[in-house]
Amino acid sequence: MKVLVCKDYKEMSVEGAKIVAEVMTKKPNAILGLATGSTPVGMYQELIALNKAGKIDFKDITTVNLDEYYPIEPTNDQSYRYFMNDNLFNHVNIDKNKTFVPLGNAKDGEEEAKRYEAFVRSLGGADIQVLGIGRNGHIAFNEPDTELVPVTHVTGLTEDTIDANARFFASADEVPKQALTMGMGTILSAKKIIILANGKGKHDAVMKMLKGTVTTSCPASFLNLHDDVTVLCDEDAYKG
Ligand code: GLP
């Protein structure tokens, strides 16, 4: 794992955008694996600025997102589909038909998980996967547990994650209790991975991941199995 410690959130976002932009420049029809959460928002703003400045082109880009609440309507302003439209897709020249998020309103969650997994695999995996990290070390919605599911699946959210995500909803009661998420195997099928972490709250999770061993109690530690991972963090997340 390569680690890049940035002085602050802004620098982390700029550095993250540079890596994504480089992949897009080398491969104009690249498949970008994208993440939600507050962490990548700054990086998306940098990508929007690069697109507006004519430095990167989204015309032939395909995107696949990691996860989505379940059940949720894509039009709900807390859905990850809405988040992606609002924070990136609505502001760049991407063809929305080539942007994919698991369908939170699918009738059968298990079927949707199978369909999404097959779809991502049929693309051959992402050229680059952008990740955030939960304060308990979760990746997408792969929560710490005694076992992890390697493929896209329906999962329950832990109290900690419901708590952490409650800030976006009117109350914790309104946070959906389940989600559709890529598994760690789906995520590791990406050719290149960058993981962003900022703030002291992420310090413990980042340290556990950087220890170099693999444990289901910290799903992020599974990234040690991949040979092209760059950790971008600010000083707070790195030093605590
Ligand atoms: C959610 C998402 C994750 C994200 C995590 C951290 O649970 N499913 O993909 O990494 O939150 O979010 P934040 O960046 O807001 O700290």
Side-chain angles (χ1 to χ4, degrees), residues 15 21 26 31-32 41-42 45 51 66-67 70 82 103-104 114 123 138 143 155 162 169 180 187 195 212 219 226 229:
E15 292 302 321
K26 272 199 198 132
I31 295 157
L32 309 182
V41 171
Q45 282 165 2
N51 183 238
L66 289 170
D67 51 3
Y70 187 75
Y82 189 99
L103 298 175
K114 267 192 221 149
L123 295 175
H138 77 246
E143 298 276 20
T155 185
I162 291 173
F169 290 82
L180 284 155
I187 292 164
I195 174 160
H226 196 284
V229 178

Side-chain angles (χ1 to χ4, degrees), residues 5-14 198 233-235:
V5 184
C6 303
K7 75 172 188 302
D8 54 20
Y9 179 73
K10 169 80 179 172
E11 191 177 294
M12 181 191 79
S13 305
V14 170
N198 70 290
C233 51
D234 71 351
E235 287 181 358

Side-chain angles (χ1 to χ4, degrees), residues 61-117:
I61 293 290
T62 296
T63 67
V64 283
N65 261 77
L66 289 170
D67 51 3
E68 178 61 285
Y69 290 115
Y70 187 75
I72 200 161
E73 284 300 322
T75 48
N76 183 315
D77 62 4
Q78 293 308 328
S79 75
Y80 285 172
R81 160 51 73 184
Y82 189 99
F83 175 101
M84 289 310 303
N85 288 348
D86 199 34
N87 284 289
L88 182 63
F89 303 152
N90 287 348
H91 312 287
V92 295
N93 68 324
I94 200 162
D95 174 358
K96 281 231 188 88
N97 295 316
K98 287 197 259 183
T99 67
F100 300 93
V101 180
L103 298 175
N105 62 349
K107 276 205 191 79
D108 184 330
E110 303 294 340
E111 279 306 310
E112 172 57 10
K114 267 192 221 149
R115 183 199 67 82
Y116 200 74
E117 177 71 17

